[in-house]
Amino acid sequence: MLRESVSATYADLVTRPTGRVVRERIERAIASSDGRDAEGRAGGGEDDVTIARMDFTGVGCIDYSCADEIVAKLLRGMRPAVLLLSGLADGHRDAIDSVLTGHGLAALLEAPDGTLDALGAPEAAAALVRELLARHLAAPTPGGALALTLA
């Protein structure tokens, strides 16, 4: 989405206006793929859960304002929602975790082996894990980690 939204050679997510453009494209893509409107409201039952995957592979850096504009606003706009992040470098993780914690939100980090770790506010992260388990969207692996049960 970054390359489509801003520039084919630009690899950084910095500034709030950049984040807004990227988030709006993500919202439109989610709406067109699952029957939701641009604000993430479902046309189906209230038990529907939107699972959005964001791959940060190839993103050079993300600043706090852009993390807030993309990740936090995206999560606040899609309820109930699960945001699954992959390809995060340490700098990405620090900015996103800080923003999520500040807003009392949580997202999932998917490791290359498919196991999950929650980012964000501890209470929100624990609630997210409980919800995933209760909905049978994730299950413990033989090694004790958590992994999605969805394809």
Side-chain angles (χ1 to χ4, degrees), residues 111-124:
D113 67 358
T115 59
L116 304 174
D117 189 18
L119 297 176
E123 306 83 26

Side-chain angles (χ1 to χ4, degrees), residues 2-137:
L2 172 63
R3 285 179 190 85
E4 293 173 11
S5 302
V6 184
S7 165
T9 59
Y10 195 68
D12 294 331
L13 288 169
V14 293
T15 76
R16 193 164 293 280
T18 300
R20 185 176 311 111
V21 168
V22 172
R23 178 183 40 80
E24 288 171 352
R25 293 211 48 170
I26 293 168
E27 288 170 340
R28 285 192 298 272
I30 290 169
S32 68
S33 70
D34 71 358
R36 292 175 183 259
D37 64 19
E39 283 74 44
R41 292 184 296 256
E46 63 182 58
D47 285 341
D48 290 346
V49 175
T50 298
I51 298 178
R53 292 178 182 260
M54 293 178 68
D55 185 355
F56 284 80
T57 302
V59 172
C61 69
I62 183 168
D63 69 7
Y64 293 92
S65 63
C66 210
D68 180 62
E69 190 66 39
I70 296 172
V71 179
K73 285 189 177 180
L74 187 63
L75 273 172
R76 285 195 309 259
M78 301 182 335
R79 289 291 174 201
V82 175
L83 186 56
L84 184 64
L85 309 172
S86 63
L88 291 184
D90 289 342
H92 304 147
R93 183 180 176 135
D94 291 344
I96 292 169
D97 189 49
S98 177
V99 165
L100 291 174
T101 299
H103 287 287
L105 298 168
L108 294 174
L109 170 61
E110 185 174 36
D113 67 358
T115 59
L116 304 174
D117 189 18
L119 297 176
E123 306 83 26
L128 177 58
V129 169
R130 282 192 306 272
E131 181 177 348
L132 289 172
L133 292 170
R135 291 177 181 259
H136 304 287
L137 298 173

